[in-house]
Amino acid sequence: MAKNSFLLHILLFFVLMLSLFDGILSQYELEELTWLDDKDDEISMFHSQHSSMRRCDFTSGKWVFDQSYPLYDSTCPYLSTAVTCTKNGRPDSDYEKWRWKPHGCEVPRFNALEFLGRMRKKRIMLVGDSIMRNQWESLVCLVQSVIPMARKTVTYVGPTMAFHAMDFETTIEFCWAPFLVELKKGPENKRILHLDMIEENAKYWRGADVLVFDSAHWWTHSDKYSSWDLIMEGNSFYRNMNPMVAYEKGLMTWAKWVDLNLDPRKTRVFFRSMSPRHNRENGWKCFNQREPLEFFSHPHVPEPLLVLKEVLRGMSFPVSFQDITTMTALRRDGHPSVYSKFVSQTGKQHLGDYKSDCSHWCLPGVPDTWNEMLNVML
């Protein structure tokens, strides 16, 4: 009897201990799940919008004319001369008034104070080529009008420029890195593209709260206008490498750096798809265009876009992909064309003597829509 009582007490003790241990495990599991779910919406690809926005396909829609646009004008002091098409003599201004309307939802109008309030004490950095510089100027102009003149400034460090909204302790930065990986001068001033080196550029990206990348145009320049003389990977040099093979290798180096160096709980990362060019017919494809195309009879998916998507799919870091390629391809009216510099009345009689830029974008204009979309994704 005493033995049975002892065994019963032992059994009750183990049951009690197991229940306590189970409670501890449950608490650990709860904490683990809480950590995994911490701001999960903010770090998951394609899931940073509000619930109604999550169901919206931003890539499918149409351009609608809206007299309430643009959101600023060409007197914004942060615009470079090459994109102030109206000031440069472009006779029409309707290109400023088109708004992107996705099927089934609306892209909210950009609100500078609301944006700055959410980005208080944060570093936003846009990284890439001159098209990304185009987007940086757009974003700065979208916010700067609500900030007193004495409370905003621009600083320059190395390949970066930073707009500071002092009262919000917010910086909006641009970092020049058209390949993301490093392009260096070698012997005989040869331009060497290092597919597996990135730190000289990436050191400027550390500490940013929001990073927006793009890289495509410089990889696709024709042989005559190639951006490099030699490609180097490891200890091997290449004079001829398929540009899309090189692009994939460069993106893989970038992806590895992001996976190893950034924490998705601290940094949001976006990759904007390539901005389409309308450079056929020696750059005159966009000249004198006054309105967007309505649709494409044969939609074309650029090869760099396919390469980019494949690299992003293989990453462990949750990069948000911003696809602006198809919607932007409809806007051949939005380029500077001959108005990337001032054209006098006399010059307008000889427009054929001017170079036509069908790669960059007039501002105000198309990049403002990219930033309205980015604002929603944030």
Side-chain angles (χ1 to χ4, degrees):
M1 184 73 176
K3 185 178 180 180
N4 289 339
S5 177
F6 174 76
L7 289 173
L8 181 61
H9 280 86
I10 292 294
L11 180 61
L12 287 173
F13 173 77
F14 276 111
V15 169
L16 177 62
M17 290 302 294
L18 283 171
S19 65
L20 289 172
F21 188 60
D22 183 61
I24 293 171
L25 281 178
S26 298
Q27 182 63 30
Y28 284 155
E29 290 168 356
L30 181 62
E31 290 176 0
E32 182 76 355
L33 289 172
T34 302
W35 180 85
L36 289 172
D37 195 47
D38 184 32
K39 297 187 178 179
D40 190 53
D41 283 347
E42 294 186 10
I43 64 173
S44 297
M45 186 183 296
F46 304 118
H47 288 80
S48 58
Q49 303 94 326
H50 295 300
S51 58
S52 62
M53 290 289 101
R54 289 181 194 152
R55 295 188 294 271
C56 182
D57 180 4
F58 287 102
T59 65
S60 176
K62 63 180 181 179
W63 290 96
V64 297
F65 194 75
D66 189 334
Q67 287 282 8
S68 70
Y69 279 70
L71 299 172
Y72 59 92
D73 61 39
S74 59
T75 62
C76 173
Y78 303 99
L79 294 177
S80 53
T81 302
V83 301
T84 54
C85 303
T86 301
K87 291 172 67 175
N88 289 341
R90 180 168 172 166
D92 64 306
S93 60
D94 283 356
Y95 65 88
E96 299 177 347
K97 300 180 183 297
W98 293 94
R99 172 175 59 83
W100 181 246
K101 171 68 173 69
H103 297 308
C105 66
E106 295 281 346
V107 178
R109 188 180 178 89
F110 191 90
N111 183 310
L113 285 174
E114 187 269 342
F115 176 83
L116 288 168
R118 284 190 292 109
M119 295 296 108
R120 185 182 294 276
K121 296 185 178 181
K122 295 188 184 299
R123 283 182 65 206
I124 307 158
M125 178 175 278
L126 283 63
V127 182
D129 54 22
S130 57
I131 309 295
M132 188 60 91
R133 163 75 182 265
N134 223 174
Q135 185 175 353
W136 176 81
E137 291 184 11
S138 162
L139 185 55
V140 170
C141 287
L142 284 168
V143 304
Q144 67 89 25
S145 64
V146 300
I147 305 169
M149 184 61 69
R151 305 303 298 161
K152 55 191 173 187
T153 189
V154 174
T155 58
Y156 303 86
V157 177
T160 72
M161 55 182 69
F163 172 83
H164 301 264
M166 299 178 193
D167 292 332
F168 293 89
E169 298 179 64
T170 300
T171 61
I172 302 173
E173 304 175 39
F174 167 70
C175 179
W176 170 256
F179 294 107
L180 303 182
V181 293
E182 297 175 22
L183 180 68
K184 294 183 174 183
K185 283 289 182 70
E188 301 177 4
N189 274 336
K190 295 287 187 182
R191 299 164 301 167
I192 302 175
L193 181 60
H194 295 263
L195 297 181
D196 52 4
M197 295 175 65
I198 199 169
E199 187 57 38
E200 280 300 308
N201 295 328
K203 65 184 180 182
Y204 295 100
W205 312 340
R206 298 179 186 275
D209 300 284
V210 178
L211 283 165
V212 185
F213 292 96
D214 102 297
S215 182
H217 281 283
W218 281 49
W219 298 90
T220 59
H221 289 172
S222 64
D223 291 340
K224 182 179 178 182
Y225 301 105
S226 177
S227 304
W228 62 80
D229 299 306
L230 294 169
I231 287 177
M232 188 172 183
E233 185 179 24
N235 295 319
S236 301
F237 285 93
Y238 303 90
R239 290 190 179 276
N240 297 299
M241 180 183 287
N242 183 308
M244 288 301 96
V245 172
Y247 181 51
E248 182 177 17
K249 289 176 179 289
L251 284 181
M252 290 296 292
T253 298
W254 166 83
K256 185 183 298 184
W257 184 89
V258 170
D259 280 341
L260 293 175
N261 291 277
L262 299 181
D263 183 344
R265 292 167 298 174
K266 297 178 180 179
T267 306
R268 296 288 309 280
V269 177
F270 298 84
F271 206 113
R272 175 178 57 66
S273 67
M274 69 182 298
S275 166
R277 293 174 289 188
H278 299 92
N279 275 339
R280 286 173 295 171
E281 300 176 12
N282 295 320
W284 289 91
K285 187 71 175 178
C286 69
F287 174 67
N288 215 26
Q289 297 297 323
R290 299 298 179 90
E291 59 185 30
L293 297 170
E294 291 188 20
F295 60 89
F296 292 111
S297 55
H298 302 288
H300 170 65
V301 179
E303 189 175 0
L305 187 56
L306 299 176
V307 172
L308 171 61
K309 287 183 175 180
E310 188 63 30
V311 170
L312 294 181
R313 274 193 287 267
M315 295 179 66
S316 59
F317 192 101
V319 176
S320 296
F321 175 59
Q322 185 185 9
D323 188 353
I324 56 89
T325 302
T326 301
M327 59 174 281
T328 306
L330 297 169
R331 291 301 310 276
R332 61 185 183 180
D333 61 306
H335 298 288
S337 185
V338 297
Y339 299 105
S340 60
K341 56 184 178 181
F342 180 72
V343 180
S344 66
Q345 289 299 322
T346 303
K348 288 180 182 180
Q349 309 302 315
H350 306 280
L351 290 176
D353 297 336
Y354 288 80
K355 182 180 177 181
S356 180
D357 179 356
C358 296
S359 296
H360 300 93
W361 301 93
C362 297
L363 291 177
V366 173
D368 302 330
T369 297
W370 304 345
N371 284 322
E372 285 191 306
M373 291 173 60
L374 177 64
N375 183 41
V376 172
M377 296 178 75
L378 279 168

